Amino acid sequence: MAAGSGHPFTVHDLVMLDRVSDPQLSPDGRYAAFSERRTDYAANKGITAVYVLDLKGSHQPVRVADHAGSARWAPDGRSLYYVAPADGVAQLWRVTMDPARGVQGGTPVQVSHGVLDLGGYALSPDGRAVALDYEAYLDCADLACTKERMDGNASDKSTGTLYTKLFVRHWDAWATGRRNQLYIARFNAQGQLPAEPTWLSKGIDGDVPSKPFGGIEEIAFSPDSRSVYFGARIAGSSEPWSTNFDVYQVPADGSAPPRNLTAANLAWDAYPVPSPDGRTLYYLAMKEPGFESDRFAIMAIDLSSGAIREVDPHWDRSAGSLSISADGKTLFATADDEGQHPLFAIDAASGAVRKLVGEGTVGGYSMAGDTLLLARDDLRHPADLYTVKASGRGLRQVTHANAARLKSAQMGDFEFFTFSGAGDQTVQGYVVKPAGYQRGKRYPVAFIVHGGPQGAMNNGWSYRWNPQTYAGQGFAVVTVNFHGSTGYGQAFTNAISGDWGGKPLEDLKLGWKAALAKYAFLDGDRACALGASYGGYMVYWMAGVWNQPWKCFVDHDGVFDARMMYYATDELWFEEKENGGTPFDHPQNYERFNPVDHVKDWRVPMLVVHSGHDFRIPITQGLGAFTALQRRGIPSEFLTFPDENHFVLKPQNSVQWHETVNAWLKKWTSGAASP
């Protein structure tokens, strides 16, 4: 789908795009269910709906439920379940898919009646039960007790909270004492669920699914529906510095407590996927305790003997989104891979890997028979749905959610390039041309430093750091996947730990030099560097040790003082891994690349952005940097959002963020193209 030839792409285009996600193929392969988020700009929020598309017809997708999501087909394919509110509480609903009426379906029926919001669910293979996720107090015997206590807390006139252990707050929320917990309920003859389900994860002092980003993909039924598998980390008093997740098995009737299947591995075990015959449980596992970005290997445990083997020991990629074919012979997974995020097929016996869908980013998929339904995007296109055979052949686009908007918006072409980086290793980056690029002209540059730091700027669409928003403003974009980036082998990813300001900075310098030498349209005298999270740390670091090329900086939620960051952040395992221990045991490691120690050398104008609900890198980091800039007399501005977390998510806040950043870039580079 070609980008349009109309107006240059803007942030207003970005926030109004419809967002397609969560593809679910019906058991017979005939229908595609998915979620689509549209933007209500006046209300400053997104509204998600569930759609169904007849893949064998010529019909457009049909909306079957508004203000709804998490659609899943019943095992027999005759009905579709989803989550939607009822009287302000998230509940499970069902709509019957009547073949005589096509994809329109029947009248939706509410099937759960819990007193708490339903977090997620998984249907049993026999269709008779459903696993449910609720956030509850662990000392409450039922959900009604949790609801009663929550109501009592809401009416209490005192506002103090006494904590006795960490987490006190996590990501963007203060700890309430409630935990995500796993329950199960059986459908009665009328297809209804009881208000009080059976508690399966009782005795697990932890979150099932995990917080803050875990979901129902951490839970699976055995093929005979008699067992449930889930991942969990026991919290205790070590939760903020532990990555020791384990995979548990529990009887689906709750008749016995959960049993730990992976206790021997003190690192992260998660995402269980049973084989179709029920004899083997596949899952993902890391090997280094305390390291959240270790390689996720695909593991297999023989459920009768307990023997464990690694399926893919020779595949130097970190797998995600694991699933299995109906015959049990092929596993499927996505992974970062040299600037792309493809879908792979892995032979379950030999571990041999083949790429099914290579270009762009596969954001989600499901399978029925030999057909896969997947969501796919790239640097020029937001996600749409595609079908492809399990062989990798016959890729076909089946939705065109934003075709009209894309046709009227002009975007920039992109190209990957490589160069010799730190240690003479090959490093990859890419360049995006400005929208309306004209040969022979030179353009100002936005040099984007990605976060993570164990992440990458891939060939994928983003609603936060999207290069096309800068290309639409007349900027060329350059980015480098420096040492520490994912998709280039685990040794490359590991190289950043303990060396935040070393090899990554060298890669950025060499990548900038290589890009200027290769692309004549880059105006190196009119360039600004931007970054968020680790990218924000690097901007602060560059401000003191590599500020010569830059006309301005933009820093979003960056680490300004590495030492204080440890004492203020939530997930301590990350800081301890990246700095080789705690600051009280190894203070020199935290000072080695600490931006705060180089403020005396700052000189470049900087825009600092930091939000009030960012508990990963608290707002005092941004305030400290802005204080330093102001006290030194360096031109600077501070933008803050009291209602946003580490990301800026609300539509109107996103527009304000982009317009403020773009104005800052233009102020210091003069945005018009030069001859």
Side-chain angles (χ1 to χ4, degrees):
M1 194 164 53
S5 57
H7 66 273
F9 186 78
T10 71
V11 63
H12 294 273
D13 297 311
L14 182 72
V15 300
M16 296 308 295
L17 290 173
D18 294 333
R19 307 184 189 186
V20 173
S21 65
D22 197 18
Q24 299 295 322
L25 194 58
S26 62
D28 63 0
R30 174 70 183 268
Y31 299 106
F34 60 95
S35 294
E36 185 170 297
R37 177 192 182 273
R38 65 185 187 275
T39 299
D40 184 338
Y41 193 74
N44 199 27
K45 65 180 182 180
I47 299 174
T48 302
V50 170
Y51 288 79
V52 173
L53 172 66
D54 185 348
L55 295 173
K56 295 184 179 179
S58 58
H59 305 292
Q60 292 295 315
V62 174
R63 186 167 64 205
V64 298
D66 214 345
H67 301 277
S70 301
R72 295 295 183 270
W73 294 99
D76 62 8
R78 296 178 181 175
S79 55
L80 185 70
Y81 290 85
Y82 59 88
V83 176
D87 298 323
V89 179
Q91 303 283 6
L92 187 64
W93 294 71
R94 181 183 65 246
V95 60
T96 300
M97 306 306 294
D98 183 355
R101 300 181 61 186
V103 299
Q104 184 62 48
T107 301
V109 176
Q110 180 184 341
V111 298
S112 77
H113 305 273
V115 294
L116 303 179
D117 284 323
L118 176 62
Y121 70 99
L123 296 163
S124 64
D126 63 10
R128 298 176 181 176
V130 57
L132 306 163
D133 158 32
Y134 291 105
E135 190 180 33
Y137 289 109
L138 298 185
D139 60 344
C140 271
D142 52 30
L143 301 183
C145 165
T146 291
K147 179 63 165 63
E148 183 179 357
R149 188 178 301 179
M150 290 171 61
D151 291 343
N153 292 341
S155 62
D156 194 341
K157 300 301 182 183
S158 63
T159 60
T161 302
L162 178 66
Y163 294 95
T164 60
K165 65 178 182 178
L166 298 174
F167 291 115
V168 167
R169 57 186 188 176
H170 195 190
W171 185 248
D172 62 0
W174 288 86
T176 64
R178 299 194 305 276
R179 293 282 189 187
N180 286 345
Q181 290 287 287
L182 182 62
Y183 300 80
I184 194 167
R186 299 186 70 82
F187 294 105
N188 65 16
Q190 291 74 43
Q192 294 290 302
L193 298 174
E196 285 292 346
T198 299
W199 190 0
L200 289 184
S201 58
K202 188 174 184 179
I204 297 292
D205 179 17
D207 287 296
V208 186
S210 61
K211 294 179 180 179
F213 302 122
I216 209 66
E217 69 278 358
E218 298 179 8
I219 297 164
F221 276 92
S222 61
D224 62 6
S225 300
R226 297 175 64 182
S227 292
V228 177
Y229 304 98
F230 63 89
R233 172 182 55 200
I234 301 302
S237 60
S238 64
E239 186 177 23
W241 52 90
S242 169
T243 61
N244 186 19
F245 287 82
D246 285 302
V247 175
Y248 291 80
Q249 180 183 28
V250 63
D253 60 3
S255 59
R259 180 168 64 96
N260 191 339
L261 301 179
T262 62
N265 182 29
L266 300 182
W268 195 344
D269 306 291
Y271 310 110
V273 175
S275 62
D277 62 11
R279 297 177 180 177
T280 304
L281 183 69
Y282 297 95
Y283 62 99
L284 301 181
M286 296 182 179
K287 298 178 181 179
E288 182 177 346
F291 187 21
E292 69 177 16
S293 297
D294 194 12
R295 171 179 171 265
F296 259 134
I298 302 175
M299 309 299 290
I301 180 171
D302 184 306
L303 290 170
S304 60
S305 69
I308 296 176
R309 68 179 177 92
E310 184 175 348
V311 174
D312 60 337
H314 304 296
W315 188 35
D316 197 6
R317 295 292 182 267
S318 187
S321 302
L322 188 66
S323 66
I324 194 167
S325 61
D327 62 9
K329 295 181 178 180
T330 306
L331 295 160
F332 299 90
T334 59
D336 280 356
D337 184 58
E338 296 185 352
Q340 314 289 340
H341 191 78
L343 177 64
F344 296 90
I346 304 97
D347 186 275
S350 69
V353 179
R354 58 189 171 92
K355 192 180 298 182
L356 295 183
V357 179
E359 296 295 315
T361 294
V362 175
Y365 68 95
S366 64
M367 188 174 188
D370 68 344
T371 300
L372 288 151
L373 176 71
L374 53 93
R376 180 170 173 260
D377 59 81
D378 61 37
L379 275 164
R380 288 169 61 90
H381 306 103
D384 266 306
L385 299 189
Y386 295 74
T387 57
V388 67
K389 294 299 181 183
S391 64
R393 297 182 180 137
L395 183 68
R396 179 172 72 98
Q397 185 173 348
V398 296
T399 65
H400 301 81
N402 296 286
R405 290 190 178 102
L406 294 175
K407 186 176 181 180
S408 65
Q410 192 176 30
M411 297 191 196
D413 292 327
F414 68 94
E415 178 180 313
F416 281 87
F417 69 98
T418 59
F419 60 93
S420 182
D424 291 326
Q425 287 188 286
T426 299
V427 178
Q428 186 184 51
Y430 63 72
V431 167
V432 181
K433 293 179 179 179
Y437 165 79
Q438 297 180 35
R439 182 182 295 274
K441 289 188 175 182
R442 301 177 72 222
Y443 296 86
V445 184
F447 185 75
I448 299 177
V449 185
H450 74 69
Q454 292 89 356
M457 291 287 284
N458 286 332
N459 180 15
W461 190 260
S462 173
Y463 286 94
R464 292 183 291 108
W465 284 82
N466 191 315
Q468 297 294 353
T469 63
Y470 305 100
Q473 296 294 309
F475 287 87
V477 177
V478 176
T479 189
V480 171
N481 283 333
F482 45 80
H483 276 78
S485 300
T486 51
Y488 305 94
Q490 192 60 38
F492 192 88
T493 301
N494 292 348
I496 195 172
S497 296
D499 195 31
W500 273 31
K503 289 185 291 294
L505 178 64
E506 187 176 352
D507 288 342
L508 292 171
K509 289 180 176 179
L510 293 170
W512 178 237
K513 181 179 179 181
L516 291 177
K518 184 176 178 65
Y519 302 103
F521 59 85
L522 300 177
D523 189 342
D525 294 326
R526 293 188 297 150
C528 290
L530 310 81
S533 196
Y534 171 83
Y537 158 85
M538 181 53 74
V539 166
Y540 288 145
W541 183 242
M542 289 163 56
V545 303
W546 185 42
N547 56 38
Q548 296 80 11
W550 313 111
K551 295 298 182 185
C552 73
F553 288 126
V554 177
D555 192 292
H556 177 102
D557 290 8
V559 177
F560 171 58
D561 184 349
R563 182 174 57 181
M564 192 57 209
M565 169 67 180
Y566 176 88
Y567 292 108
T569 191
D570 50 1
E571 296 178 351
L572 298 181
W573 66 76
F574 176 81
E575 288 294 309
E576 293 179 12
K577 166 60 182 176
E578 295 305 298
N579 293 286
T582 66
F584 43 86
D585 288 325
H586 304 281
Q588 69 281 1
N589 295 354
Y590 287 78
E591 294 303 325
R592 184 182 177 197
F593 299 115
N594 196 350
V596 75
D597 295 333
H598 296 269
V599 169
K600 62 181 177 58
D601 297 316
W602 286 16
R603 66 168 190 84
V604 175
M606 187 185 301
L607 169 65
V608 176
V609 185
H610 220 114
S611 296
H613 282 178
D614 186 355
F615 302 153
R616 182 60 40 84
I617 302 179
I619 193 172
T620 50
Q621 294 281 313
L623 287 168
F626 184 57
T627 298
L629 290 159
Q630 289 281 298
R631 187 63 180 86
R632 293 218 54 228
I634 298 171
S636 51
E637 295 178 355
F638 182 72
L639 174 64
T640 185
F641 298 94
D643 55 346
E644 297 282 10
N645 56 33
H646 201 53
F647 308 143
V648 175
L649 302 175
K650 295 176 180 173
Q652 294 191 29
N653 287 349
S654 179
V655 169
Q656 183 183 7
W657 187 98
H658 282 84
E659 289 182 342
T660 303
V661 169
N662 290 334
W664 186 256
L665 297 179
K666 291 179 179 180
K667 177 178 180 178
W668 298 103
T669 64
S670 301
S674 61

